[in-house]
Amino acid sequence: MSRHDRSASRSTRFMNRLYARLARRQSSVTGFVSQPEPRTIGSFARGRQLVAGNLLFAGYLVESPTTGLWEVEAPDVAFDAERNGFTWLDDLASVGDLPAREKAQKWLWGWIKAHGKGSGVGWSPDLTGRRVIRWINHALFLLRGQDKAASEAFFRSLSQQTWFLSHRWQGASPGLPRFEALTGLIYAGLALEGREELADPAIKALAHECEQQIDDLGGLPTRNPEELLEVFTLLTWAAAALHEAGRTVPHAHTEAIERIAPTLRTLRHSDGSLARFHGGGRGLEGWLDHALAASHVAGNHADGLAMGYARLSAGRSSVIVDASVPPLGAASNNGHASTLAFELSSGRRPFIVNCGSGEAFGVEWRRAGRATPSHSTLCIEGHSSSRLKPPQKGSGHEALTESPDNVPVELSEVDSGFRFQGGHNGFDRHFGLTHARSLELSFDGRSLSGEDMLLALEDASKRKFDRAMDALSLKGVGFDIRLHLHPEVDAALDLGGTAVSMALRSGEIWVFRHDGNCELKLEPSVYLEKNRLKPRATKQIILSGRAMQYATRVRWTLSKAQETAIAVRDLTRDDPEIPD
């Protein structure tokens, strides 16, 4: 982080604190004009854990069965931010019984007592917007059985937070944080008595952000699929609240929803989850389908690439490929070196995956999750296709540098199926090599054929390759093709080391084979999920070889060998609970 950036960050925090304290002087409201229908989706299982006193936020578990939420010392700033955002209220509301309501009431009025006067990390525009939406959504759940004094404190705090949002939403970073702040302000302006005048500027500002942040193809600069889903959800909530209040939704707002929906459908695997790229997760179960249904946008996929991703889909299989340059500039702070990596799902089962974001497990896991070896693609001599610039003092975020700037892609239909062809020059700087990848999914979805090539195309690239060979004593430039498996895939290396057999929980058996020019290994890997206490152990297939010439080619196949009756039942039955 530069001196200018640190100064700007300090200034933002100071202004947030100042306006949070000024908010105490604002007059209160007495009730709602109208209240939007609750649209947030919580987790019943997490709600039960919260009722039991198991506080799992940002990858940290704190057991606190008797004390209030705000008496617990936060182990990390991310833990503190997550509890201040009140998304846990969705989980408690999904349980909905008396103990859950009492817990929610205790924690909400506990926040008013501890932080309602303007203290704490929760007084940032994005967290305030996130919190206000939940308070309004679940007001009936929260206010039931409360006396007049508690009700007055609730509306007084909501009024103060709304005033804060009206003055500080511009302090939120462009992208998801600003969308959260503005949606919260619109919700509050439409719902609270005497605050209608605050809604109009927020409605116009949200439409402007739609024009600035959502590109013509329905994507975000960060290229994070889960973040795109969060923005899409906020936009559909705001549109629904406007409709219910008899207001017109701005054209730019509506157009943004219509652009995003086809992109999200392209990023949706056959199991209903999102592709996990550039810091995004799979999304809560049912969240994506619910958001798409609520948008009322016709069910079609994007033509060609969607936010830089390519999709192949046939039978019960879906393949999603990172087929564009990584995010650039500030948007790259959470970006991954994943160019040409892919994920594969079969039916309702994730199969080939990327390791995911290590954000919840500390700096080292975060950095490891962003590197090319943590993705299902090719890497050279352990190098990433984009370099992670080490953070300067005072910053935990590394930007991507030396990223591929040329990623040609072609999608086509061939005699046997659907084909993706792409390449990138991320390894040219150090090794003079271009990585080209071809993926072909059969029409029945039962076979995925891959071809990875390393090519020194231009004279300058050939000279770089020669220098790399000299540095390696002419032993060849080492490369690995990695395919990371989901933790629920059981894999075994066949005798002789020529194939890997993989069994999915659905009963499907898949086999990986290659053309014999590389060493095949099955090694440990990890699967990183933000709602887990620790990384999940899994395995990865590794094809290792050495590039000795200006052109090196490796062919491999993933094919379905067997499908038992379990797979048929898998189409119609819910998944059993899978223990950690």
Side-chain angles (χ1 to χ4, degrees):
M1 182 182 289
S2 67
R3 182 179 300 176
H4 177 269
D5 291 338
R6 289 195 294 271
S7 176
S9 179
R10 287 195 297 269
S11 176
T12 297
R13 291 195 296 270
F14 171 78
M15 295 300 291
N16 287 342
R17 289 195 298 270
L18 174 63
Y19 277 93
R21 284 163 172 75
L22 289 174
R24 292 179 294 175
R25 305 177 183 177
Q26 307 310 308
S27 60
S28 181
V29 297
T30 58
F32 290 117
V33 176
S34 64
Q35 184 185 0
E37 286 291 327
R39 294 181 176 86
T40 48
I41 298 176
S43 166
F44 181 84
R46 289 195 68 191
R48 292 294 298 269
Q49 289 296 315
L50 289 169
V51 172
N54 298 320
L55 312 179
L56 177 57
F57 299 127
Y60 293 90
L61 176 64
V62 177
E63 296 182 2
S64 178
T66 57
T67 59
L69 179 61
W70 312 106
E71 286 75 32
V72 172
E73 183 177 352
D76 183 81
V77 66
F79 180 102
D80 205 9
E82 190 168 329
R83 65 176 173 177
N84 271 273
F86 272 71
T87 53
W88 48 263
L89 196 52
D90 299 333
D91 303 323
L92 290 176
S94 71
V95 177
D97 59 11
L98 180 60
R101 185 170 67 249
E102 290 178 342
K103 183 76 74 171
Q105 291 169 337
K106 178 181 179 181
W107 288 355
L108 184 141
W109 274 273
W111 184 90
I112 294 175
K113 181 178 179 181
H115 301 298
K117 294 182 179 180
S119 64
V121 301
W123 286 93
S124 66
D126 55 328
L127 290 177
T128 303
R130 193 183 308 169
R131 183 169 58 247
V132 163
I133 291 170
R134 269 71 189 183
W135 285 28
I136 293 173
N137 269 350
H138 302 299
L140 293 178
F141 174 68
L142 292 164
L143 292 171
R144 185 176 180 183
Q146 295 298 298
D147 59 21
K148 182 179 179 182
S151 179
E152 289 176 348
F154 175 83
F155 282 108
R156 183 167 55 250
S157 182
L158 257 183
S159 180
Q160 292 168 353
Q161 293 177 67
T162 303
W163 183 89
F164 172 83
L165 280 174
S166 70
H167 287 79
R168 287 302 299 152
W169 68 262
Q170 291 178 325
S173 301
L176 178 59
R178 191 166 292 180
F179 281 108
E180 285 189 306
L182 285 169
T183 302
L185 181 53
I186 291 170
Y187 254 54
L190 296 176
L192 297 175
E193 290 182 350
R195 294 295 180 264
E196 294 88 347
E197 79 281 357
L198 300 180
D200 288 334
I203 293 167
K204 293 178 182 178
L206 185 62
H208 178 73
E209 291 300 312
C210 288
E211 293 177 329
Q212 295 296 310
Q213 293 296 315
I214 310 300
D215 65 27
D216 293 341
L217 299 178
L220 290 172
T222 60
R223 300 192 57 231
N224 180 328
E226 189 175 28
E227 185 174 313
L228 183 66
L229 174 56
E230 291 187 71
V231 169
F232 180 73
T233 302
L234 291 167
L235 293 178
T236 57
W237 287 350
L242 288 167
H243 282 304
E244 290 170 3
R247 299 288 196 99
T248 300
V249 182
H251 186 61
H253 186 157
T254 302
E255 279 199 332
I257 292 174
E258 292 174 349
R259 292 198 304 274
I260 295 173
T263 296
L264 285 174
R265 287 191 173 96
T266 300
L267 298 174
R268 180 188 184 276
H269 275 298
S270 58
D271 64 350
S273 67
L274 281 167
R276 305 195 320 152
F277 288 97
H278 296 292
R282 290 166 51 84
L284 287 174
E285 185 176 354
W287 177 18
L288 175 55
D289 289 340
H290 184 271
L292 289 170
S295 72
H296 304 294
V297 178
N300 60 311
H301 292 85
D303 294 329
L305 299 186
M307 202 165 70
Y309 299 96
R311 175 188 175 91
L312 304 176
S313 180
R316 300 177 65 231
S317 299
S318 62
V319 177
I320 299 176
V321 190
D322 185 353
S324 187
V325 298
L328 304 173
S332 74
N333 286 341
N334 290 305
H336 287 207
S338 56
T339 311
L340 297 190
F342 77 94
E343 292 190 325
L344 166 65
S345 289
S346 178
R348 298 176 63 246
R349 301 291 173 174
F351 181 13
I352 305 298
V353 298
N354 297 304
C355 290
S357 172
E359 181 81 33
F361 307 109
V363 174
E364 294 303 319
W365 275 114
R366 181 178 186 275
R367 187 176 295 120
R370 300 177 69 189
T372 299
S374 294
H375 299 82
S376 292
T377 188
L378 177 146
C379 64
I380 296 179
E381 295 287 348
H383 286 243
S384 287
S385 55
S386 298
R387 188 167 69 89
L388 298 180
K389 184 180 180 181
Q392 297 184 17
K393 187 176 180 180
S395 171
H397 296 278
E398 315 96 322
L400 296 181
T401 62
E402 299 180 9
S403 297
D405 58 11
N406 184 24
V407 186
V409 168
E410 181 178 331
L411 292 167
S412 59
E413 184 175 326
V414 294
D415 292 341
S416 55
F418 302 100
R419 177 182 290 168
F420 163 85
Q421 292 175 296
H424 75 79
N425 62 347
F427 298 120
D428 181 74
R429 179 186 296 266
H430 297 288
F431 301 101
L433 293 171
T434 291
H435 174 209
R437 166 164 275 185
S438 174
L439 300 171
E440 187 174 315
L441 183 66
S442 62
F443 283 128
D444 60 8
R446 298 176 65 89
S447 176
L448 178 68
S449 301
E451 181 179 80
D452 286 289
M453 292 182 288
L454 290 173
L455 307 168
L457 298 173
E458 307 292 339
D459 289 342
S461 297
K462 292 176 180 178
R463 288 192 291 271
K464 293 177 189 176
F465 179 76
D466 291 339
R467 288 195 294 271
M469 286 287 287
D470 290 340
L472 294 165
S473 303
L474 302 179
K475 294 180 180 179
V477 176
F479 65 86
D480 295 316
I481 300 169
R482 298 173 184 266
L483 302 182
H484 295 271
L485 306 177
H486 189 269
E488 293 177 8
V489 176
D490 294 323
L493 188 64
D494 290 356
L495 292 177
T498 59
V500 176
S501 298
M502 292 154 287
L504 279 59
R505 292 288 180 92
S506 62
E508 297 175 7
I509 306 295
W510 288 72
V511 178
F512 176 87
R513 296 183 176 89
H514 64 103
D515 63 6
N517 296 324
C518 296
E519 179 188 3
L520 177 61
K521 296 175 286 186
L522 190 61
E523 295 191 351
S525 181
V526 293
Y527 189 74
L528 305 170
E529 296 175 281
K530 61 184 178 183
N531 290 326
R532 296 267 179 170
L533 291 177
K534 57 184 179 180
R536 297 174 69 184
T538 186
K539 295 181 179 180
Q540 60 178 313
I541 298 169
I542 303 179
L543 271 180
S544 299
R546 307 198 77 84
M548 304 292 295
Q549 301 174 341
Y550 296 144
T552 301
R553 173 181 295 175
V554 179
R555 294 188 178 96
W556 50 266
T557 60
L558 277 166
S559 56
K560 192 182 296 187
Q562 180 181 338
E563 187 169 11
T564 71
I566 299 175
V568 178
R569 295 199 302 271
D570 189 55
L571 289 171
T572 57
R573 291 179 54 184
D574 291 335
D575 286 351
E577 188 72 24
I578 303 298
D580 287 348

